[in-house]
Every structure is written in C-alpha cells, then in structure tokens.
Amino acid sequence: MNLRGASFSLQRFIFRASRVIMAAFPGGQIAAFGTRDDTINSILVVNLDRQPQRWRRIQRELRRFRTSDGTPLISIARRFAAIDARDGRSVAATADVDSIYRLGDHLYVQPDARLAECFDADEPIRMTRQEIAVARSHVEVWKTIATGQDNNVLVLEDDVWFKRGAAAVIERGWRAALRRSRADGGPRLFYLSYEDAGGTAERVDHCEMLFHPVRGLWFLSGYVLSRKGAAELLRAMPVIGPVDLWINYRFGELGALALSHPVLLQRKDAISDNSYSVLPYLARAGIVDAGSGPMPPDRTRAGPILAWTADSDTEALPMALSMLGLRVRVFDNDGDLIHAQEIAELFELFDALVNVPLAPDALSAVSKNSNVRFFIEENATSCFQIELDDLPPARTAILPSSMSGAASWKPLCAFLNLAEPIQSFPVGARRSLRVFRDDRFKNPRKLPFSSRQRGCELDDSPWVLPSRSRWQSSPSTGLSLPTLGEYLVHDTMTNESPSFASLVETFPGNLASFTPEGLFYRSDGLHLLISKALDGKRLYRSGAVGSKRLFNYGRFEASIKAASGSGLVTGFFLHRSTPRQEIDIELAGDDPQHMLTNVYFNPGDDGAAMAFGYRGSPCRIDLGFDATLDFHLYAIDWRPGRIVWSVDGKVVHERMSWDPTPIPHLPMRLHANLWAPRSKELAGGINESALPANAIFRDIAVWA
C-alpha cells in the first residue's frame, strides 16, 4: 500500500468535505463589491472547458458572499474559458507571449545564491506549454477588461477558496487601497492572493492592511485589475516568460498593492497537471528534489489494440501510443504469420501491436474479442492485406496516413477514451532505429541466464516489461560489435578538456553538489573528489564533467579507478532529459566487485517532458575484480536496437529492444561523476570517516 498516496487522499477528502460543509454557512457581505465606480464590479473565473467540476466548486464558494447591494457574489461572476495547453494551435508562437526568458528573470523574482552559482543569468529557458497557456489565458482576460465597461474586475483562477474572515479583510483592504491610490482613481493592480517568493519578497508597507510589492510575488490566482491597469499591461506586452514572473517587472508602473496576508488560497484537493520550466534548473542546483513532468499516463482503460500503418520513414503512431502509456510492439512484416494462441500471449506483455502479420485464425479471434480495438491508417490495407470488412466497425478507427499537429491526438484519444496529452503529437523515430521492436529472442548469441549477473527491482512504468514477463538479463558470448567509423574524442583527461565541461549542479537523490572544487587534473587523469561540504543545502560536495556535445549512438569508453567507500557511486553514463533517456555504468563503493548497468527509456520526440521511473531497468554484473584497486577499461556500445557493455575489452552484458525496455533513440551527453545516493539500497550508507574519497578517469574515447 502506498501510505503517502493514502495520506494525501485522506487529506483531500477531509478538505473537500470541509468546503462542502462551509458552503452551507454564509460568508458575509463584502461592500467592496458592487455597482459603484469605486467598487469591484465583476468577477472573471479562468476555467478550462475540460474541468467543469472546478467551476462548480468556485460557484459554491462565491454563493456564500453578498455584494454591497445584497446580491450573491456569484451573480456578478462569469466563467472565462481558459486556453488549453493541449491545444497546439493555442500555444503556438504568438505576438502576445515570448516563450524564451532568462534565468536572471527568475532570479529577479526569487534570488537564490545556489541557482546563480550553477547557471549564468543569461541562461535561456523555454516556457512549458502549460505556462504559455496560462499566460495567454490572463492576456485574454486583460483584453476583455480593457475593452469592457467595468472599472474594476476580480480575476480568479478556478482552484481558490476564501479563508475564514476573508469578507472583512477584503472590505478593509479595499478601502485602504482606495485611499492610497485616490489620485489614480483607485488601485490598478491589487493582489488578494499570492505567495511570497521563498520569503525574499521586497515590499514597502503602507499600513497594517496593505503593502506595495517591489518584486517577489508568485501566482496570479486572485487579483483585482482596473480597466486602466489592463490597458497598461497590454501596452507592455509581449509577456516574456511565465506571466506571474513577468508581472513583477510591472509593479512600479502599475503602483501595485497587495493585502498584508493573502485571503484567497489554492485548494488542497486540486491536482494540477502543470509543469514548470524552471524546475529542472532548481533540481540541478539542489534547491528542490522534484521532477518537472506530469503524472504518469493512465493506460488502464485503453485495452488491447491492433494497429496498421502506411509505409513511412518515421513511426508516428507507435510513438504516440507509447506516449499515452501503452507498451507498444512494432513488427516489420517480414516474419512468420502470428496465430491466435500467439496473439493472446503477446497481449499478456504488450498493450498495442503495430503492423502485426495476422494469420486468418488470429484475425478471426481478435475480431470476436470485444475488448480489442483497431486502428488503420489510410493506405495501410494495401500493405498488409487487411480487409476492413473483416473488422468490427464499432471498434475500428481509420486514421490519416500523415498524422501530425495537435489535432492528431483527438481521434486517437477519443476512440481510446483517454485524455489528450499536453505534449505535441510526435513525428516519431525512424524505422531503422527499431525503437519498439522485440528482439529479445532473435539474437542467436544470447546465452541462458547466468549466476554471474543478478537482476534488480525494475520500474513499474509503461515502458518496462511487466513482472509477469519474468525478465532476467542474460550475458553475451563475449563477441563485441564492429567498431564504428568516426573517432570523435580521445582525451587523456590529464589537463582541462576541450571536449568536457565541469558541472556545477546536482540532481534529485544526490546528497552531494557538484562544484569546481570537486575535481582536479593530475598526470594520472581526472580526479573527482567527494568531501564534507562546509555550507550549502547538500551535505557533501563532489565533482562531475559532461560532454559539450550530444552524441547519437556510438562507442563510449574510459579507464576508471572507482572510489572506495560505502555510500559512494562512480558513474560513467549517457543521459538526456525531455524526454529522459539514460544508459549507465555505475560502480558502488560498498560492492566494488560488481558493476551496475541501467537503462531508462521514455518516449517522445526531442522536447517531450516525459521523465517517469526512478529505478530504470538495472542489473548487477560480477566483474571478478575490485574496481577500486586499479584502472580498468569500461565501454558502452550503443546502436539502434542494441546496447553492449564491455570491461577490459570483454563483453559482459547486452540489451536488445524490449529487453526489458525499448532502446534509447535520441541524442545524449556523456557524463562522468562521483556522487552519494540518498538511497542506501544502491550503495549503502555513507561513511564520513572514509572521506575525502576520489574516483579517477582517464583516456575517455568516443566513436560515433
């Protein structure tokens, strides 16, 4: 049982029940709302079309209060349709929003020495689709206010609730704001809801009720905007970066005011699918231990799927189905026909089979199975001799042969009764990369499972074979892959490298921060040194380097002398984010006789924010020696559909497609580091008496 999840569910239930009970009690009259020019004349509630329950909840909140005229507050409120991040056209390039902002903009709102140390202030950050949608929603609200008849409008996001005593605080605060801004005819921007940016907000207090924010307020979940204020915001556009960040730069010109304490809070039972563009930077700086992706997709309602695609260089439909959370196997239509018994066995492991060559008995069986659904791209029938008349019309969807753009999600998700993803519809991987092929049983060189390797617990994610597959990694015969052609990198690592940069960052799950003081070059190679940190949020400091360029397949090798000591891990690996993909060699200091190999796969084109799983698909390899006593040559050979690991020139491990994950297919950077995992399962608890400790890397080479 997931106790954390159960606890959160209980808290949600208690909060939701309390709000339902409170709805039966009047909240009081708020004279700040009314029809006079010096009152708040109307309320706009920003709400997504696909979240009607939130609109109902905010209506329930507003019915508790009355205006100065005695009418319910809900009578002056209306719903404003929010821009949906799932609509690609709505979050495309626009003159209203510039999606690229600087890290320095974030630091202006919330200064943080660790973030400033890790990244340059001019580091460009690209807004997420959700952030663009939120910004565009507020811009459209401002346009409505600027061209409307109301002098002052309260703008609410749909996940707020009124604190106890809110009516009296809003009334007194509004009167104070009117007195303070009498020369301007009233406040142009007045915050009723906000969050102090980590306690760093600069403010000028005016009275016990009000302050003028200089900078440092997050959220635009509840604010009063005048018609004049809306016009000024529109003149200052485009919005650059997240809208609650950008508006901090407007505080001075708008004469912004805020209640001394917010009276509108965000609901505790509202689960957001927003992702934030700055989160990966905060995680790498060690400020947060949170990922940036949404919740894992829910594939439980999709059911078994058979799909056939038209001939194309890229595989959009298989990638799209995988992004929806399905385990997808693709066939090349060059094998034997699949019969009824085999199709049943395949559906034990996979949710969707694409381009499967069905024997007549299998086609008859799946057509009669009311759970199976069918997708056929236009022109696919001629490629696979599939007769539409043989398929049940109610469970069959015909898709265009060139699926692209946000609209392509709609027929797919509607037919499967799944929510449309925030991510763009994929172009897909090239067929030659064999991303979703199942090559586990096609390699004649595979040997039976050996005791020299032991498996580890796998991720329960859509892109790892389920436990019922009884996956066990098996070793190779020791035959290596042919050497790739171009020799791109050979660095002795005895001096500062032109190919690798020192990293100043960390990552969730690491007790150490990487700093320049954690590495130095010597005649025997690059030393990464881990020691007790004297200050900072992380307990330890260490060293790491990453390649300056990305690599798409190749052979990557290094001579490594691993760090000794419990709680330490020496890493040599390929990694990328958005989507997260990774191929690892890890040497644990408490078990130097073994090497941990690992693969993380997430689907999508470059830029897709998919990063699920925290264990990957690891396997421990018996090295037959102590990796901390001397240098040994470790290599990762990464090819389409296959990864081979070797030590001192001998192949010790390999993975094929769906063994037990698809093989990463997008460009990655090469890394070397020494770190201290929070999890004691990986390398034991850290022994501070053994610090400082170091790992040494030399002769890093790359063929690609």
Side-chain angles (χ1 to χ4, degrees), residues 246-266:
W246 176 81
I247 209 166
N248 277 256
Y249 286 99
R250 314 271 81 81
F251 286 166
E253 64 199 63
L254 287 171
L257 296 171
L259 288 174
S260 295
H261 301 284
V263 294
L264 301 179
L265 304 181
Q266 291 185 307

Side-chain angles (χ1 to χ4, degrees), residues 349-493:
L349 300 183
F350 300 99
D351 307 296
L353 305 177
V354 179
N355 296 341
V356 56
L358 289 183
D361 64 317
L363 182 59
S364 174
V366 295
S367 298
K368 295 174 183 176
N369 186 336
S370 61
N371 294 320
V372 179
R373 278 175 277 192
F374 304 86
F375 286 108
I376 300 183
E377 287 186 358
E378 295 170 347
N379 304 323
T381 53
S382 60
C383 300
F384 295 94
Q385 289 78 50
I386 299 296
E387 296 293 339
L388 290 178
D389 292 342
D390 295 333
L391 302 178
R395 292 186 280 120
T396 303
I398 309 298
L399 301 173
S401 57
S402 57
M403 299 181 70
S404 62
S408 295
W409 283 121
K410 192 172 295 296
L412 202 61
C413 295
F415 194 69
L416 296 175
N417 193 28
L418 295 175
E420 294 180 36
I422 296 295
Q423 313 300 328
S424 299
F425 194 86
V427 173
R430 298 195 309 275
R431 286 183 182 273
S432 60
L433 302 187
R434 303 184 59 78
V435 174
F436 299 112
R437 305 315 189 269
D438 185 1
D439 292 332
R440 291 174 299 151
F441 307 115
K442 294 182 179 178
N443 182 6
R445 298 192 293 105
K446 298 283 272 188
L447 298 178
F449 180 72
S450 167
S451 60
R452 287 176 57 81
Q453 305 182 71
R454 69 177 189 267
C456 304
E457 191 174 5
L458 304 180
D459 275 332
D460 181 19
S461 82
W463 309 294
V464 180
L465 285 182
S467 58
R468 60 180 175 271
S469 72
R470 298 182 180 180
W471 176 80
Q472 288 183 317
S473 178
S474 54
S476 283
T477 59
L479 298 176
S480 59
L481 291 169
T483 303
L484 288 166
E486 191 173 358
Y487 193 25
L488 294 182
V489 174
H490 180 257
D491 203 312
T492 62
M493 305 303 288

